[in-house]
Amino acid sequence: MKTPRDSGFAFPDWAYKPESSPGSRQIQLWHFILELLRKEEYHDVIAWQGDYGEFVIKDPDEVARLWGARKCKPQMNYDKLSRALRYYYNKRILHKTKGKRFTYKFNFNKLVLVNYPFIDMGSAGSSVPQSAPPVPSGVGTHFRFPPSTPSDVLSPNGEELRSPGVFTSVARRAARGSVSDCSDGTSVASELEEVGMTGSDERPAERAFRSLFLPHHPRLTHDSLFRMYGVPPPAAVHFPASPLPGAPLLPPQLSPALSMTSTPSSHLPYTPSPSLASPMPGSHFSFSPEDMKRYLQAHAQSVYNYHLSPRAFPHYPSIVVPQPQRPDKGMAGPTAGTHFVAHPLHHQQPEDPHPSPYKFKLQPPPLGRKHRDGPPPTSAGLSGPSGTPYTGLGECGSATGQGFNCSSSGLTSSGSGGPPKIKVESVSDIESEEEVEVTDISEDDDNCDVFAPSHCNGRPALLPCPDGIMDNEEDELEEDLFKTPAAPSSGIISGIAAVVGMTLPGLKAEPREGSPSSPGGTQCIPLKLRFKRRWSEDQRMEAEIEEAEDKKSRAEKEEPSAQEAQSQKVMPVEEEMSGGSLAAPLGAGLRRVSSELQKATAQLSLENNGC
DNA sequence: AACGGAACTG
DNA sequence: CAGTTCCGTT
């Protein structure tokens, strides 16, 4: 049966919450979709279907109408809505299920990332029970919410085989608490505790998911997060590692940043890092200093060991990292002196002494807009939010009185100063496969535009579109091939490391040497170039992996269990390079982090009250 | 139907 | 920034 009651299957609770869209004052489409998906009332309009994360819009017009209502856009229609949906392709939040009409599919990994917790170390919170729920972890395993095999999730009778059924229980629980979707943001904190503490029957993954991703920083925007994590985990490809299919006890799932390569339904064999693979006493992960440390270390190491693109380091506020070599003076750190990350890889900056292989050309600001066509007839016509009959639709109805939340703006957005804005464009564009990687640091400003949505198809942006793989044409295999994601910038790793108060061994070591898996010959290649290559490779790999994953998952549907017996030997973890001294003085710091997370979460819920 | 560029908006 | 609006193309 389609499980009438909870047929809405199940997405992690956070996914259903408005607060889940960091930095967004207004509800976002994907979130809204999730909302509808969750409600039975709308199952005739939109519903889960098929693969995990796949949903079908049964009544496009209605969905559009609802969306329009929610956004106070009476003119909304499916055409427009779908455009918005299409934009998600680039962000990789969604993708289209080819062949099936009105059918799209969520990319959970992305969603997770969006919700990855970021802490603002600004305050020195505490007092919060670091009741971090135990988390599952998967050393060599790719973190996956939903089991990749039906059997994993299947109830004895194989009934709920519905794709994302995994989170059903969660969803149910969530529903219990906060029913008013958008109006109450109050449940987050409590939920955190509630579920967090439950040692219950929940799948480890669920809990892990929750505990790890529930909290998030309000100030971060979707995009910034995407940028942060838009980087494919090189480690994944370089580490054949042993997947622990279905292994009950898995080492901590490390940074999503490093594992987001595949689709939710897949398990990517991936060894985060040597240190990680090592003895993981508890099979649980918590925000305890110990676990945190391991987590961070692994994360950091992975990055450094594999020369992850600098851009792979998400920005971490309030964190200062020990500058490796290169006694930079003021370093062109990100804006404002406010705390920030001195990116260890900063030395790949423009002012670099050596002849930079990176060529850029300044692209003049976009020509005056209004080119569209025809003379601009003092608009004013339609956009008027006329009193459109709004179907009270549960969602925001709660808005006091009549108005919707059409104007509420809870968080202040740093008024974006409209600086000169100059686009930097790779000169070596299209042709030269020697793409350039701009190691840009500043993050909260226009510099990032450089990496903004790069379309491998048409206008090539900065990122290279590895031959062979890229979807230059309208190839088929691109089912899951997405355009190269926007590149992130800044370093979370270093940031974290700093927070934890440890020094990254790998960091100090000359990047040149360290790499355990550096292909012979690279030794002589300039750092920049190496990074560049790595980046390209990563991009390519991501695409490949995703595709493969998708296929795999699809195939898996057929044969539940199989070779996955217990081939989960021990991954031949590469021994920790030189720095086995990762152990570092941390503890208090971690606790703070943990509490900060919770605080932020709680705070968020308040901020979102207005709806 | 689906896609995606471009201008535009709050 | 996350769409919204338009629209030509496939």
PDB file of all heavy atoms in Angstrom, chain A residues 293-316:
ATOM      1  N   LYS A 293      37.069  15.860  17.222  1.00  0.00           N
ATOM      2  CA  LYS A 293      38.456  15.954  16.834  1.00  0.00           C
ATOM      3  C   LYS A 293      38.724  15.017  15.672  1.00  0.00           C
ATOM      4  O   LYS A 293      39.306  15.379  14.665  1.00  0.00           O
ATOM      5  CB  LYS A 293      39.350  15.554  18.001  1.00  0.00           C
ATOM      6  CG  LYS A 293      40.812  15.725  17.677  1.00  0.00           C
ATOM      7  CD  LYS A 293      41.674  15.410  18.868  1.00  0.00           C
ATOM      8  CE  LYS A 293      41.669  13.939  19.183  1.00  0.00           C
ATOM      9  NZ  LYS A 293      42.415  13.639  20.407  1.00  0.00           N
ATOM     10  N   ARG A 294      38.266  13.845  15.847  1.00  0.00           N
ATOM     11  CA  ARG A 294      38.499  12.874  14.799  1.00  0.00           C
ATOM     12  C   ARG A 294      37.894  13.355  13.500  1.00  0.00           C
ATOM     13  O   ARG A 294      38.485  13.282  12.435  1.00  0.00           O
ATOM     14  CB  ARG A 294      37.873  11.543  15.183  1.00  0.00           C
ATOM     15  CG  ARG A 294      38.857  10.620  15.819  1.00  0.00           C
ATOM     16  CD  ARG A 294      38.184   9.283  16.031  1.00  0.00           C
ATOM     17  NE  ARG A 294      37.377   9.307  17.226  1.00  0.00           N
ATOM     18  CZ  ARG A 294      37.817   8.883  18.390  1.00  0.00           C
ATOM     19  NH1 ARG A 294      39.029   8.413  18.492  1.00  0.00           N
ATOM     20  NH2 ARG A 294      37.053   8.923  19.443  1.00  0.00           N
ATOM     21  N   TYR A 295      36.746  13.826  13.674  1.00  0.00           N
ATOM     22  CA  TYR A 295      36.030  14.305  12.502  1.00  0.00           C
ATOM     23  C   TYR A 295      36.806  15.406  11.791  1.00  0.00           C
ATOM     24  O   TYR A 295      37.031  15.370  10.599  1.00  0.00           O
ATOM     25  CB  TYR A 295      34.688  14.839  12.973  1.00  0.00           C
ATOM     26  CG  TYR A 295      33.902  15.562  11.934  1.00  0.00           C
ATOM     27  CD1 TYR A 295      32.958  14.875  11.174  1.00  0.00           C
ATOM     28  CD2 TYR A 295      34.070  16.915  11.725  1.00  0.00           C
ATOM     29  CE1 TYR A 295      32.210  15.537  10.231  1.00  0.00           C
ATOM     30  CE2 TYR A 295      33.327  17.580  10.790  1.00  0.00           C
ATOM     31  CZ  TYR A 295      32.396  16.894  10.045  1.00  0.00           C
ATOM     32  OH  TYR A 295      31.664  17.556   9.121  1.00  0.00           O
ATOM     33  N   LEU A 296      37.192  16.321  12.576  1.00  0.00           N
ATOM     34  CA  LEU A 296      37.910  17.440  11.998  1.00  0.00           C
ATOM     35  C   LEU A 296      39.250  17.034  11.417  1.00  0.00           C
ATOM     36  O   LEU A 296      39.652  17.472  10.358  1.00  0.00           O
ATOM     37  CB  LEU A 296      38.124  18.507  13.067  1.00  0.00           C
ATOM     38  CG  LEU A 296      36.813  19.051  13.603  1.00  0.00           C
ATOM     39  CD1 LEU A 296      37.101  20.021  14.720  1.00  0.00           C
ATOM     40  CD2 LEU A 296      36.048  19.720  12.494  1.00  0.00           C
ATOM     41  N   GLN A 297      39.870  16.215  12.130  1.00  0.00           N
ATOM     42  CA  GLN A 297      41.174  15.802  11.655  1.00  0.00           C
ATOM     43  C   GLN A 297      41.059  15.104  10.327  1.00  0.00           C
ATOM     44  O   GLN A 297      41.794  15.354   9.393  1.00  0.00           O
ATOM     45  CB  GLN A 297      41.810  14.849  12.647  1.00  0.00           C
ATOM     46  CG  GLN A 297      42.280  15.565  13.881  1.00  0.00           C
ATOM     47  CD  GLN A 297      42.789  14.582  14.904  1.00  0.00           C
ATOM     48  OE1 GLN A 297      42.656  13.377  14.725  1.00  0.00           O
ATOM     49  NE2 GLN A 297      43.358  15.089  15.966  1.00  0.00           N
ATOM     50  N   ALA A 298      40.150  14.244  10.314  1.00  0.00           N
ATOM     51  CA  ALA A 298      39.973  13.490   9.089  1.00  0.00           C
ATOM     52  C   ALA A 298      39.672  14.432   7.951  1.00  0.00           C
ATOM     53  O   ALA A 298      40.224  14.328   6.864  1.00  0.00           O
ATOM     54  CB  ALA A 298      38.823  12.521   9.251  1.00  0.00           C
ATOM     55  N   HIS A 299      38.832  15.289   8.261  1.00  0.00           N
ATOM     56  CA  HIS A 299      38.424  16.235   7.244  1.00  0.00           C
ATOM     57  C   HIS A 299      39.644  16.998   6.755  1.00  0.00           C
ATOM     58  O   HIS A 299      39.920  17.091   5.572  1.00  0.00           O
ATOM     59  CB  HIS A 299      37.420  17.186   7.849  1.00  0.00           C
ATOM     60  CG  HIS A 299      36.604  17.861   6.827  1.00  0.00           C
ATOM     61  ND1 HIS A 299      37.086  18.205   5.592  1.00  0.00           N
ATOM     62  CD2 HIS A 299      35.317  18.265   6.858  1.00  0.00           C
ATOM     63  CE1 HIS A 299      36.128  18.786   4.909  1.00  0.00           C
ATOM     64  NE2 HIS A 299      35.044  18.838   5.649  1.00  0.00           N
ATOM     65  N   ALA A 300      40.304  17.497   7.711  1.00  0.00           N
ATOM     66  CA  ALA A 300      41.464  18.299   7.360  1.00  0.00           C
ATOM     67  C   ALA A 300      42.483  17.495   6.589  1.00  0.00           C
ATOM     68  O   ALA A 300      42.998  17.906   5.570  1.00  0.00           O
ATOM     69  CB  ALA A 300      42.089  18.847   8.626  1.00  0.00           C
ATOM     70  N   GLN A 301      42.718  16.365   7.080  1.00  0.00           N
ATOM     71  CA  GLN A 301      43.721  15.562   6.419  1.00  0.00           C
ATOM     72  C   GLN A 301      43.337  15.206   5.010  1.00  0.00           C
ATOM     73  O   GLN A 301      44.148  15.244   4.101  1.00  0.00           O
ATOM     74  CB  GLN A 301      43.935  14.288   7.211  1.00  0.00           C
ATOM     75  CG  GLN A 301      44.882  14.522   8.348  1.00  0.00           C
ATOM     76  CD  GLN A 301      45.904  13.416   8.397  1.00  0.00           C
ATOM     77  OE1 GLN A 301      45.820  12.456   7.652  1.00  0.00           O
ATOM     78  NE2 GLN A 301      46.872  13.555   9.260  1.00  0.00           N
ATOM     79  N   SER A 302      42.147  14.857   4.878  1.00  0.00           N
ATOM     80  CA  SER A 302      41.717  14.481   3.552  1.00  0.00           C
ATOM     81  C   SER A 302      42.019  15.594   2.589  1.00  0.00           C
ATOM     82  O   SER A 302      42.548  15.389   1.512  1.00  0.00           O
ATOM     83  CB  SER A 302      40.218  14.240   3.542  1.00  0.00           C
ATOM     84  OG  SER A 302      39.924  13.200   4.406  1.00  0.00           O
ATOM     85  N   VAL A 303      41.660  16.708   3.027  1.00  0.00           N
ATOM     86  CA  VAL A 303      41.853  17.837   2.160  1.00  0.00           C
ATOM     87  C   VAL A 303      43.306  18.073   1.832  1.00  0.00           C
ATOM     88  O   VAL A 303      43.677  18.221   0.684  1.00  0.00           O
ATOM     89  CB  VAL A 303      41.290  19.088   2.809  1.00  0.00           C
ATOM     90  CG1 VAL A 303      41.642  20.287   1.973  1.00  0.00           C
ATOM     91  CG2 VAL A 303      39.798  18.936   2.933  1.00  0.00           C
ATOM     92  N   TYR A 304      44.050  18.093   2.858  1.00  0.00           N
ATOM     93  CA  TYR A 304      45.438  18.371   2.592  1.00  0.00           C
ATOM     94  C   TYR A 304      46.170  17.240   1.910  1.00  0.00           C
ATOM     95  O   TYR A 304      47.057  17.429   1.117  1.00  0.00           O
ATOM     96  CB  TYR A 304      46.147  18.774   3.872  1.00  0.00           C
ATOM     97  CG  TYR A 304      45.752  20.152   4.209  1.00  0.00           C
ATOM     98  CD1 TYR A 304      44.785  20.421   5.156  1.00  0.00           C
ATOM     99  CD2 TYR A 304      46.274  21.210   3.457  1.00  0.00           C
ATOM    100  CE1 TYR A 304      44.375  21.710   5.397  1.00  0.00           C
ATOM    101  CE2 TYR A 304      45.866  22.492   3.699  1.00  0.00           C
ATOM    102  CZ  TYR A 304      44.908  22.746   4.669  1.00  0.00           C
ATOM    103  OH  TYR A 304      44.503  24.013   4.888  1.00  0.00           O
ATOM    104  N   ASN A 305      45.772  16.103   2.275  1.00  0.00           N
ATOM    105  CA  ASN A 305      46.451  14.989   1.661  1.00  0.00           C
ATOM    106  C   ASN A 305      46.163  14.887   0.189  1.00  0.00           C
ATOM    107  O   ASN A 305      46.951  14.394  -0.584  1.00  0.00           O
ATOM    108  CB  ASN A 305      46.025  13.691   2.317  1.00  0.00           C
ATOM    109  CG  ASN A 305      46.635  13.555   3.677  1.00  0.00           C
ATOM    110  OD1 ASN A 305      47.546  14.295   4.022  1.00  0.00           O
ATOM    111  ND2 ASN A 305      46.150  12.620   4.448  1.00  0.00           N
ATOM    112  N   TYR A 306      45.038  15.305  -0.138  1.00  0.00           N
ATOM    113  CA  TYR A 306      44.689  15.144  -1.529  1.00  0.00           C
ATOM    114  C   TYR A 306      44.636  16.418  -2.311  1.00  0.00           C
ATOM    115  O   TYR A 306      44.021  16.492  -3.363  1.00  0.00           O
ATOM    116  CB  TYR A 306      43.371  14.388  -1.621  1.00  0.00           C
ATOM    117  CG  TYR A 306      43.508  13.177  -0.797  1.00  0.00           C
ATOM    118  CD1 TYR A 306      42.691  12.949   0.283  1.00  0.00           C
ATOM    119  CD2 TYR A 306      44.557  12.307  -1.042  1.00  0.00           C
ATOM    120  CE1 TYR A 306      42.905  11.851   1.085  1.00  0.00           C
ATOM    121  CE2 TYR A 306      44.767  11.221  -0.249  1.00  0.00           C
ATOM    122  CZ  TYR A 306      43.942  10.995   0.825  1.00  0.00           C
ATOM    123  OH  TYR A 306      44.152   9.927   1.619  1.00  0.00           O
ATOM    124  N   HIS A 307      45.228  17.371  -1.743  1.00  0.00           N
ATOM    125  CA  HIS A 307      45.310  18.608  -2.505  1.00  0.00           C
ATOM    126  C   HIS A 307      43.978  19.084  -2.974  1.00  0.00           C
ATOM    127  O   HIS A 307      43.796  19.458  -4.113  1.00  0.00           O
ATOM    128  CB  HIS A 307      46.179  18.388  -3.735  1.00  0.00           C
ATOM    129  CG  HIS A 307      47.552  17.990  -3.358  1.00  0.00           C
ATOM    130  ND1 HIS A 307      48.426  17.508  -4.260  1.00  0.00           N
ATOM    131  CD2 HIS A 307      48.172  18.011  -2.167  1.00  0.00           C
ATOM    132  CE1 HIS A 307      49.578  17.226  -3.645  1.00  0.00           C
ATOM    133  NE2 HIS A 307      49.435  17.532  -2.388  1.00  0.00           N
ATOM    134  N   LEU A 308      43.107  19.029  -2.136  1.00  0.00           N
ATOM    135  CA  LEU A 308      41.797  19.493  -2.512  1.00  0.00           C
ATOM    136  C   LEU A 308      41.929  20.936  -2.902  1.00  0.00           C
ATOM    137  O   LEU A 308      42.739  21.662  -2.372  1.00  0.00           O
ATOM    138  CB  LEU A 308      40.878  19.390  -1.306  1.00  0.00           C
ATOM    139  CG  LEU A 308      39.427  19.423  -1.636  1.00  0.00           C
ATOM    140  CD1 LEU A 308      39.145  18.350  -2.673  1.00  0.00           C
ATOM    141  CD2 LEU A 308      38.658  19.163  -0.385  1.00  0.00           C
ATOM    142  N   SER A 309      41.132  21.284  -3.800  1.00  0.00           N
ATOM    143  CA  SER A 309      41.196  22.674  -4.211  1.00  0.00           C
ATOM    144  C   SER A 309      40.954  23.555  -3.016  1.00  0.00           C
ATOM    145  O   SER A 309      40.159  23.261  -2.155  1.00  0.00           O
ATOM    146  CB  SER A 309      40.113  22.943  -5.221  1.00  0.00           C
ATOM    147  OG  SER A 309      39.858  24.302  -5.259  1.00  0.00           O
ATOM    148  N   PRO A 310      41.660  24.588  -2.996  1.00  0.00           N
ATOM    149  CA  PRO A 310      41.512  25.528  -1.895  1.00  0.00           C
ATOM    150  C   PRO A 310      40.059  25.916  -1.772  1.00  0.00           C
ATOM    151  O   PRO A 310      39.571  26.201  -0.697  1.00  0.00           O
ATOM    152  CB  PRO A 310      42.344  26.704  -2.325  1.00  0.00           C
ATOM    153  CG  PRO A 310      43.237  26.205  -3.386  1.00  0.00           C
ATOM    154  CD  PRO A 310      42.599  24.999  -3.989  1.00  0.00           C
ATOM    155  N   ARG A 311      39.458  25.901  -2.848  1.00  0.00           N
ATOM    156  CA  ARG A 311      38.081  26.347  -2.793  1.00  0.00           C
ATOM    157  C   ARG A 311      37.217  25.336  -2.073  1.00  0.00           C
ATOM    158  O   ARG A 311      36.058  25.532  -1.838  1.00  0.00           O
ATOM    159  CB  ARG A 311      37.559  26.571  -4.201  1.00  0.00           C
ATOM    160  CG  ARG A 311      38.032  27.891  -4.708  1.00  0.00           C
ATOM    161  CD  ARG A 311      37.463  28.143  -6.053  1.00  0.00           C
ATOM    162  NE  ARG A 311      38.241  27.496  -7.066  1.00  0.00           N
ATOM    163  CZ  ARG A 311      37.704  27.005  -8.155  1.00  0.00           C
ATOM    164  NH1 ARG A 311      36.430  27.072  -8.346  1.00  0.00           N
ATOM    165  NH2 ARG A 311      38.444  26.446  -9.050  1.00  0.00           N
ATOM    166  N   ALA A 312      37.824  24.262  -1.814  1.00  0.00           N
ATOM    167  CA  ALA A 312      37.053  23.251  -1.135  1.00  0.00           C
ATOM    168  C   ALA A 312      36.900  23.608   0.318  1.00  0.00           C
ATOM    169  O   ALA A 312      36.146  23.007   1.036  1.00  0.00           O
ATOM    170  CB  ALA A 312      37.759  21.925  -1.242  1.00  0.00           C
ATOM    171  N   PHE A 313      37.609  24.558   0.689  1.00  0.00           N
ATOM    172  CA  PHE A 313      37.514  24.924   2.080  1.00  0.00           C
ATOM    173  C   PHE A 313      36.481  25.992   2.261  1.00  0.00           C
ATOM    174  O   PHE A 313      36.654  27.118   1.877  1.00  0.00           O
ATOM    175  CB  PHE A 313      38.836  25.466   2.572  1.00  0.00           C
ATOM    176  CG  PHE A 313      39.953  24.534   2.283  1.00  0.00           C
ATOM    177  CD1 PHE A 313      40.974  24.902   1.445  1.00  0.00           C
ATOM    178  CD2 PHE A 313      39.942  23.267   2.837  1.00  0.00           C
ATOM    179  CE1 PHE A 313      42.009  24.024   1.187  1.00  0.00           C
ATOM    180  CE2 PHE A 313      40.974  22.391   2.574  1.00  0.00           C
ATOM    181  CZ  PHE A 313      42.014  22.773   1.750  1.00  0.00           C
ATOM    182  N   PRO A 314      35.491  25.582   2.842  1.00  0.00           N
ATOM    183  CA  PRO A 314      34.418  26.535   3.067  1.00  0.00           C
ATOM    184  C   PRO A 314      34.866  27.564   4.071  1.00  0.00           C
ATOM    185  O   PRO A 314      35.736  27.326   4.866  1.00  0.00           O
ATOM    186  CB  PRO A 314      33.308  25.692   3.626  1.00  0.00           C
ATOM    187  CG  PRO A 314      33.744  24.305   3.569  1.00  0.00           C
ATOM    188  CD  PRO A 314      35.190  24.258   3.259  1.00  0.00           C
ATOM    189  N   HIS A 315      34.224  28.554   3.978  1.00  0.00           N
ATOM    190  CA  HIS A 315      34.530  29.670   4.833  1.00  0.00           C
ATOM    191  C   HIS A 315      34.077  29.393   6.245  1.00  0.00           C
ATOM    192  O   HIS A 315      33.008  28.948   6.503  1.00  0.00           O
ATOM    193  CB  HIS A 315      33.774  30.861   4.263  1.00  0.00           C
ATOM    194  CG  HIS A 315      33.671  31.976   5.205  1.00  0.00           C
ATOM    195  ND1 HIS A 315      33.747  33.259   4.814  1.00  0.00           N
ATOM    196  CD2 HIS A 315      33.506  32.002   6.538  1.00  0.00           C
ATOM    197  CE1 HIS A 315      33.599  34.032   5.861  1.00  0.00           C
ATOM    198  NE2 HIS A 315      33.448  33.302   6.899  1.00  0.00           N
ATOM    199  N   TYR A 316      34.910  29.704   7.102  1.00  0.00           N
ATOM    200  CA  TYR A 316      34.538  29.515   8.485  1.00  0.00           C
ATOM    201  C   TYR A 316      34.787  30.796   9.207  1.00  0.00           C
ATOM    202  O   TYR A 316      35.891  31.283   9.270  1.00  0.00           O
ATOM    203  CB  TYR A 316      35.397  28.430   9.097  1.00  0.00           C
ATOM    204  CG  TYR A 316      34.570  27.448   9.835  1.00  0.00           C
ATOM    205  CD1 TYR A 316      33.827  26.518   9.144  1.00  0.00           C
ATOM    206  CD2 TYR A 316      34.488  27.488  11.209  1.00  0.00           C
ATOM    207  CE1 TYR A 316      33.045  25.605   9.831  1.00  0.00           C
ATOM    208  CE2 TYR A 316      33.707  26.581  11.882  1.00  0.00           C
ATOM    209  CZ  TYR A 316      32.993  25.638  11.189  1.00  0.00           C
ATOM    210  OH  TYR A 316      32.225  24.747  11.860  1.00  0.00           O
TER     211      TYR A 316
END
